[in-house]
Amino acid sequence: MKHAPFNAKKLIFLLISIYLLTILSAAFCEDQTIPALSSRNELFRQFMDNLEKSYMDEVRGVKIIPHIYTYTAVEKDTLITVAARCNIPIETLVLLNNFSSPDAEITGKKLYVPAAAGLFVKDEPASILEKLIQIRFPDYKEAPVVQLDGKNYYFIQSERLTPTERAFFYDARMSSPLPEGVLTSAYGMRISPISGQELFHKGIDLAAPEGTPVYACKSGEVLSASNDSTYGNFIILQHENNMQSVYAHLSKFAVSEGYVRSGTVIGYVGTTGLSTGPHLHFEIRTNGKNRNPQDYLP
């Protein structure tokens, strides 16, 4: 029985490969947690060096997979201040950390901080902003991917938010759904003008002339534009943070699907459904429960 000849070159190659894999594994397992966003910290300086290289690669058109560091936010940190200190766009930080607003509370939270600027796209977007970005980049799966906590984040290098996306991102305020109106029925228990019985009123009624434009109180997605015997023509908008707004008794719709920005005309005041006269029935729901709209409106 003949034995295969000893091949020294293959053995050397194998040993070198094992050595390199050991080094790479050690580097990969190295703690990448930045203790403080200070130039006196060695790991933060390393982060800034990687960031500078990524910006140079961006200019040269080189595709990169960003180095991901972590940082635990301290008191007085905000997404805006952390992004500014790390010299990356706030949307880069927000999208990688699954926030829906620049005003999110981050004290004590571990943040993933990428040493590169761009946008991250997820397979299952959880916010309107994430949905809009996924729609803009239908071929996002061809981009470099970073896996964190079992989820894939596809990195779209050099990209920034469009004006429309930015409007959704920064729209934290709530505005009135009518240019003007008279509060005729508040939130809570009342004598129903239809049945004469005491019932819980889930929203507020704002009287206005028929045909008065009704505005989206906040940027959101049209969840429903439908009709029933009670609400008549009604629209439900889905907003961030599990909030919905409801607009009922409309004479007609101005939108039926898609995304709308705050202040967009979505319909017109009417008296459809169970109604005693032209008015807007307006509701706010959070996590599926009705809330007093007057606590949210300016």
Side-chain angles (χ1 to χ4, degrees), residues 152-267:
N152 291 330
Y153 295 81
Y154 299 87
F155 182 60
I156 312 298
Q157 187 174 334
S158 309
E159 290 290 344
R160 304 291 187 271
L161 295 182
T162 65
T164 297
E165 292 162 353
R166 193 169 294 277
F168 276 87
F169 179 52
Y170 284 103
D171 180 26
R173 69 193 187 285
M174 181 174 287
S175 58
S176 174
L178 290 178
E180 59 182 49
V182 177
L183 178 67
T184 57
S185 187
Y187 176 85
M189 296 302 297
R190 69 166 185 173
I191 301 298
S192 169
I194 302 296
S195 67
Q197 298 178 342
E198 188 176 35
L199 298 172
F200 190 86
H201 192 222
K202 296 179 180 180
I204 60 174
D205 289 343
L206 300 169
E210 187 162 0
T212 300
V214 176
Y215 304 125
C217 68
K218 189 177 174 66
S219 297
E221 181 180 7
V222 179
L223 191 63
S224 177
S226 189
N227 176 279
D228 71 19
S229 58
T230 301
Y231 281 6
N233 296 326
F234 69 94
I235 288 176
I236 301 176
L237 297 184
Q238 180 69 52
H239 309 289
E240 301 292 1
N241 301 318
N242 295 317
M243 175 185 284
Q244 294 177 349
S245 55
V246 182
Y247 312 77
H249 307 307
L250 304 175
S251 60
K252 59 181 179 178
F253 303 120
V255 297
S256 59
E257 60 182 10
Y259 299 92
V260 295
R261 293 169 64 171
S262 177
T264 300
V265 176
I266 60 173

Side-chain angles (χ1 to χ4, degrees), residues 28 60 74 88-89 109 112 192 272:
F28 182 78
R60 292 196 295 263
V74 299
I88 58 175
K109 293 184 178 179
Y112 291 112
S192 169
T272 57

Side-chain angles (χ1 to χ4, degrees), residues 103-159:
D103 303 320
E105 173 58 47
I106 64 171
T107 301
K109 293 184 178 179
K110 183 181 78 171
L111 304 177
Y112 291 112
V113 186
L119 302 177
F120 288 93
V121 186
K122 293 196 302 182
D123 288 321
E124 298 179 0
S127 69
I128 294 175
L129 176 64
E130 292 175 357
K131 291 179 183 178
L132 290 173
I133 292 173
Q134 188 190 70
I135 290 170
R136 180 153 66 103
F137 298 102
D139 300 326
Y140 67 92
K141 289 192 176 181
E142 297 177 5
V145 63
V146 173
Q147 191 172 69
L148 298 171
D149 300 326
K151 296 181 180 179
N152 291 330
Y153 295 81
Y154 299 87
F155 182 60
I156 312 298
Q157 187 174 334
S158 309
E159 290 290 344

Side-chain angles (χ1 to χ4, degrees), residues 24-54:
L24 288 172
S25 297
F28 182 78
C29 295
E30 183 182 355
D31 186 11
Q32 298 291 295
T33 300
I34 301 172
L37 304 180
S38 168
S39 58
R40 293 190 293 272
N41 180 263
E42 181 180 352
L43 200 56
F44 184 69
R45 291 198 303 270
Q46 180 192 104
F47 165 82
M48 295 303 289
D49 288 341
N50 281 327
L51 180 65
E52 183 179 0
K53 183 180 181 301
S54 74

